[in-house]
Amino acid sequence: MDYFAQQLINGLVLGSIYGLIAIGYTMVYGIVGMINFAHGDIFMIGGFIALITFLILVSIGLTTVPVILLLVLLVAMAITALYGWTVERIAYRPLRQSFRLAPMLSAIGMSFVLTNYAQVSQGARVKPVPPVITGGYTLFENDGFVVRLSNIQIIVVITTIILLAVFSWLVARTRLGRDMRACEQDQTMAALLGVDVDRTISMTFVIGAALAAVAGMMYLLYYGVVDFFMGFVAGIKAFTAAVLGGIGSLPGAMLGGLLIGLIETFWSAYFTSEYKDVAAFSILIVVLIFLPTGLLGRPEVEKV
């Protein structure tokens, strides 16, 4: 039971990171009806920007950890949001009226561009960072096995809950959220009613990229490494989470992320880590056979 509790904690933390990335997928799909396959690489870019910003702040003599983390978060979100805006302008907007396959192919191409850009500019080796947030709490101990909840795990989960609440409120209660829902239902009618469709879609990409930057920073702090290829793997997992939870649903994206994280963690803990991806995708297949729209998806047009 102690081992199970520890793996449950680990799975929830990993699932929270997947959920943050999956929200970006589901927001873009809810508005444009397309999957942004470059979103995982935006997450990777956010991790690298967080690392570079952290090293710059430390090199100039800033030593207060809370201040450093706040500045790193703000800079990473701002610059990564700019990347998201650029992806929308280059890979999506010119092809919005084209056949449906064109934007997807363009996004896949953008994914390769960002991956190779990171590899060339930052190198192919894994970039480590020393532990920034240390310490934690011992929940209980039995026969020498200690169940611990670290401070960074608490921060990851709390950050995820806060961001999910904030962006759920943004979509449900603000003018931007109403514009998003209007564009989701009918972009032509939304434009006739005074909604700036281009601006709304760009803001959706910007918000999704900012969330990916937060996930990239959380990944960096939790695992202590970043590399140019991590965006592809995490992006595929997050896309799976979004589909599993119900593509187009914010709570569904988070639920799917938690489920994928838990499946991976428990499979690695009790069976073998080599087949953890097989287990996660197998669960997805089984769910979609019986629930084609995902766990929280709707049969009609998906709601963001």
Side-chain angles (χ1 to χ4, degrees):
M1 187 62 187
D2 300 338
Y3 187 64
F4 176 87
Q6 185 64 68
Q7 299 309 318
L8 178 63
I9 294 172
N10 297 339
L12 289 175
V13 175
L14 177 60
S16 297
I17 296 175
Y18 285 155
L20 283 176
I21 309 173
I23 288 175
Y25 277 109
T26 206
M27 289 183 70
V28 170
Y29 180 85
I31 302 300
V32 189
M34 299 288 180
I35 300 298
N36 178 16
F37 283 104
H39 189 65
D41 299 281
I42 295 293
F43 154 77
M44 175 268 297
I45 293 292
F48 270 110
I49 292 173
L51 174 62
I52 294 170
T53 306
F54 174 78
L55 294 176
I56 291 174
L57 293 176
V58 171
S59 67
I60 63 177
L62 194 59
T63 57
T64 307
V65 174
V67 175
I68 290 177
L69 293 179
L70 178 60
L71 292 175
V72 168
L73 180 63
L74 294 176
V75 172
M77 290 180 69
I79 298 180
T80 309
L82 182 60
Y83 274 90
W85 178 82
T86 303
V87 167
E88 191 273 332
R89 290 298 299 267
I90 294 176
Y92 272 91
R93 185 174 297 187
L95 301 173
R96 197 179 299 159
Q97 305 303 323
S98 181
F99 62 99
R100 291 180 64 85
L101 194 60
M104 184 185 72
L105 295 175
S106 180
I108 293 174
M110 183 61 68
S111 172
F112 283 108
V113 168
L114 292 175
T115 299
N116 287 275
Y117 161 70
Q119 182 182 8
V120 171
S121 61
Q122 301 300 322
R125 291 186 298 176
V126 172
K127 300 294 189 296
V129 64
V132 178
I133 301 175
T134 57
Y137 305 92
T138 299
L139 300 183
F140 47 88
E141 181 176 357
N142 186 23
D143 295 331
F145 187 85
V146 179
V147 178
R148 286 185 56 82
L149 180 63
S150 65
N151 288 329
I152 181 58
Q153 290 176 324
I154 295 173
I155 289 174
V156 170
V157 173
I158 291 178
T159 300
T160 301
I161 293 173
I162 292 174
L163 288 176
L164 178 61
V166 168
F167 284 99
S168 296
W169 170 82
L170 183 146
V171 171
R173 301 295 182 183
T174 66
R175 171 63 184 272
L176 177 60
R178 289 192 294 271
D179 291 349
M180 288 179 177
R181 298 197 305 275
C183 292
E184 171 198 359
Q185 295 177 10
D186 191 326
Q187 292 185 16
T188 302
M189 181 58 69
L192 291 174
L193 295 175
V195 174
D196 190 335
V197 175
D198 288 338
R199 174 182 173 274
T200 302
I201 294 176
S202 292
M203 287 302 299
T204 303
F205 274 82
V206 166
I207 292 172
L211 284 172
V214 177
M217 180 177 171
M218 295 297 108
Y219 185 96
L220 173 66
L221 293 176
Y222 187 55
Y223 291 103
V225 293
V226 289
D227 66 88
F228 77 97
F229 197 66
M230 74 178 194
F232 175 80
V233 178
I236 292 296
K237 300 288 182 60
F239 171 63
T240 303
V243 175
L244 178 61
I247 191 74
S249 167
L250 292 182
M254 185 54 62
L255 175 61
L258 293 175
L259 289 176
I260 294 296
L262 289 170
I263 292 168
E264 279 193 20
T265 302
F266 280 117
W267 189 273
S268 300
Y270 289 100
F271 298 101
T272 173
S273 60
E274 285 83 359
Y275 293 98
K276 64 179 182 179
D277 295 342
V278 175
F281 293 126
S282 298
I283 296 296
L284 171 67
I285 292 171
V286 172
V287 170
L288 292 183
I289 289 174
F290 298 99
L291 293 171
T293 58
L295 296 175
L296 298 183
R298 300 185 182 183
E300 67 272 11
V301 177
E302 301 296 315
K303 303 299 180 185
V304 174

